[in-house]
Amino acid sequence: MAVTLYDLGSASGLKKLDEYLLTRSYITGYQASKDDLTVYAALSKVPSDEYVNVSRWYKHIDALLRISGVSGEGSGVTVKSSLVAEAVATPPPADSKAAAADDDDDDDVDLFGEETEEEKKAAEERAAALKASGKKKESGKSSVLMDIKPWDDETDMKKLEEAVRGVQMEGLLWGASKLVPVGYGIKKLQIMLTIVDDLVSVDSLIEEQLTAEPINEYVQSCDIVAFNKI
């Protein structure tokens, strides 16, 4: 069953998620899945220990991503920024009457009249727009976990992250991140990102943005840790 979560950036949203996870180990099902990655990526920072169940779940998913990744399909989850989407407006009676009047007007249209050139052109434009809109809606998304490594222990990791997040393009959304020790005083940036598959190529993002000038002043290399379709 698909799950919808709201406003995870607020205390009320986290409280709802904490209550939801009280009797669950994962967002959906009995194994880690893409649904867990979607929620993991939607959290802008590591949740406070105040939210016991969320914190427990977050640490578990974080550990799985570093060890083996997550491959389960899940049942589907949607994360929305506010509760506004929950309210479904009911049209007032007046609107129903207006709709009925419109229907009556449609009955008066001569369906067998000759179509003018202007009408043909308008119909073609509507069909093209509808086709483009359909393609856009069908475009898939992917959740990616990436390791970004600095040149050495003297690299300013704060500036490195700022440079990485400074890469903006349509279809790219940066998510939660943290610094992970590598050794010899060096730390790497581990960061989540969500991409629209038709708009963003991870390979191009790495080769043309993250490891190119001027960001390569801070970034030595990038590795994809996990890549999952949403």
Side-chain angles (χ1 to χ4, degrees):
M1 182 178 68
V3 175
T4 301
L5 301 171
Y6 296 91
D7 204 11
L8 296 183
S10 70
S12 60
L14 283 173
K15 184 177 179 182
K16 288 286 186 183
L17 179 59
D18 196 63
E19 293 171 352
Y20 177 80
L21 289 170
L22 177 63
T23 58
R24 297 174 176 85
S25 297
Y26 303 103
I27 299 300
T28 59
Y30 299 98
Q31 64 174 338
S33 70
K34 296 175 184 177
D35 294 342
D36 294 281
L37 289 182
T38 298
V39 179
Y40 181 96
L43 294 170
S44 59
K45 58 183 179 180
V46 178
S48 166
D49 289 337
E50 173 187 353
Y51 306 102
V52 178
N53 303 306
V54 177
S55 180
R56 178 253 310 158
W57 165 84
Y58 186 93
K59 291 174 182 176
H60 178 56
I61 298 302
D62 187 67
L64 286 178
L65 288 172
R66 280 188 283 172
I67 298 170
S68 58
V70 173
S71 58
E73 286 298 322
S75 303
V77 63
T78 301
V79 179
K80 297 186 178 181
S81 59
S82 69
L83 291 171
V84 175
E86 286 187 313
V88 179
T90 302
D95 288 347
S96 298
K97 292 178 181 178
D102 288 340
D103 289 340
D104 291 340
D105 291 341
D106 289 342
D107 292 339
D108 296 332
V109 176
D110 182 5
L111 298 178
F112 299 96
E114 290 188 8
E115 190 176 33
T116 65
E117 288 298 324
E118 289 78 6
E119 289 172 335
K120 287 181 180 179
K121 185 177 181 181
E124 290 173 358
E125 290 176 350
R126 285 196 298 271
L130 183 61
K131 186 176 181 181
S133 175
K135 284 183 178 179
K136 189 172 183 180
K137 289 180 181 178
E138 292 170 6
S139 181
K141 291 184 179 181
S142 297
S143 178
V144 184
L145 180 66
M146 188 182 293
D147 279 349
I148 301 178
K149 299 173 184 176
W151 288 101
D152 51 40
D153 60 338
E154 295 182 358
T155 301
D156 189 326
M157 296 304 291
K158 184 177 180 180
K159 289 184 177 180
L160 181 148
E161 182 170 357
E162 289 175 352
V164 169
R165 291 185 181 275
V167 176
Q168 299 292 327
M169 62 179 69
E170 185 180 1
L172 170 64
L173 177 66
W174 295 106
S177 66
K178 63 184 176 183
L179 296 179
V180 179
V182 177
Y184 304 100
I186 300 174
K187 294 182 178 180
K188 64 182 178 183
L189 175 69
Q190 191 169 81
I191 189 166
M192 291 288 300
L193 55 144
T194 302
I195 62 169
V196 176
D197 297 333
D198 289 349
L199 299 177
V200 180
S201 162
V202 178
D203 290 337
S204 296
L205 174 64
I206 292 174
E207 295 172 8
E208 299 173 11
Q209 299 284 346
L210 299 179
T211 57
E213 294 183 350
I215 302 179
N216 63 359
E217 177 184 349
Y218 307 104
V219 175
Q220 187 265 332
S221 65
C222 299
D223 296 315
I224 298 173
V225 180
F227 191 111
N228 293 283
K229 297 290 184 182
I230 297 176

